[in-house]
Structure formats: C-alpha cells, structure tokens
Amino acid sequence: RTLSIIKPDAVAKNVIGGVTAKLEGAGLRILASKMVRLTEAQAKAFYAVHAERGFYNDLVKFMTEGPVVVQVLEGENAVAANRAIMGATNPEKADAGTIRKEFATNIERNAVHGSDAAETAKEEIAFFFSTAELAALAR
C-alpha cells in the first residue's frame, strides 16, 4: 500500500479523474479516497520532514490553498508503481505519459504526492485514514 495525494493545483484544474485513471492504469487499486481541506497545522505536521528546507513555508501555503484528494493505493510494489506513474518532481523532466508531465504546472505545483518508501507509506496512510476506516473497506 501507498499514499497518494492529488494536490490543490490538480483538484482546481478538475483533473482528479485523469490522475485516478493513470493510477488505475498503472495497476494500482484505490482502496480508500476522500477529499479534504488541510489546515495549516495539518500541512505543517504532514510535511514536518521538510521544516528546515527553504521551500517548507511555500509548500504549506500551497497545500492549504484548496482541497486535496487523499487516497490509499494497493497493488504489487505499490510505492514504486505510484512513483513511476507520478513522474519526476519537475514536470519538465518527467517522462511522457506520467501524471506530472500531463497535469503539473511546475516543480512547486506538481499535481501529486506519493509516499517514498513502504515505512513512510504506513505513516502517511495513518495520518489521513484510521485503522477502522481501512478495515471497513477491506475485502
């Protein structure tokens, strides 16, 4: 499992369906999905790992400017599969057919977030989804 966030820029562009289609086309199953509006406190907590980086405040501002869609994705090598279909952080360097190549504006407004490792994915999923929410959705 891994976490995916469709960021405010992509939600505002009304490309949730296009992003979701690419995720599913990459062999990922959407186990859980919800639209939320992050508070400043939530965005700061979620991106705390970047707190010392120069882009942190701009990232927090961006992630709170509109709703996001958070999703739990499931599939074989889910973290790697999601990162491959997302494409490079900088959409100018992303491969054709990737989410960022098609839907991102620039390196800062890059349409999606995806967990970078299995352990991170567990933490990020727990940030947005309770164990009870996920259990209720299990097959």
Side-chain angles (χ1 to χ4, degrees):
R1 291 183 181 171
T2 191
L3 183 84
S4 170
I5 302 177
I6 303 175
K7 294 181 177 181
D9 57 326
V11 172
K13 288 180 186 176
N14 200 31
V15 296
I16 296 167
V19 171
T20 300
K22 288 199 170 291
L23 295 171
E24 291 176 333
L28 295 164
R29 178 175 174 262
I30 297 168
L31 180 65
S33 180
K34 61 185 172 183
M35 185 178 284
V36 297
R37 179 88 185 242
L38 295 177
T39 65
E40 183 178 348
Q42 287 172 318
K44 283 182 173 181
F46 186 79
Y47 287 107
V49 66
H50 298 304
E52 302 303 317
R53 314 256 325 248
F55 61 82
Y56 177 71
N57 289 329
D58 288 338
L59 177 60
V60 169
K61 184 177 178 187
F62 166 53
M63 291 300 292
T64 58
E65 76 181 26
V68 299
V69 175
V70 291
Q71 299 177 318
V72 179
L73 308 177
E74 188 174 69
E76 192 170 331
N77 299 313
V79 171
N82 184 40
R83 294 189 71 76
I85 194 59
M86 284 192 324
T89 304
N90 183 345
E92 292 177 12
K93 296 180 179 178
D95 291 338
T98 61
I99 292 169
R100 288 181 171 145
K101 187 67 166 184
E102 292 192 22
F103 302 120
T105 303
N106 57 43
I107 196 167
E108 288 89 18
R109 302 177 76 77
N110 60 15
V112 287
H113 164 90
S115 303
D116 62 4
E119 196 54 44
T120 310
K122 288 178 187 172
E123 294 168 11
E124 291 182 346
I125 290 167
F127 187 91
F128 288 105
F129 294 91
S130 71
T131 304
E133 283 177 299
L134 295 176
L137 297 167
R139 292 188 222 188

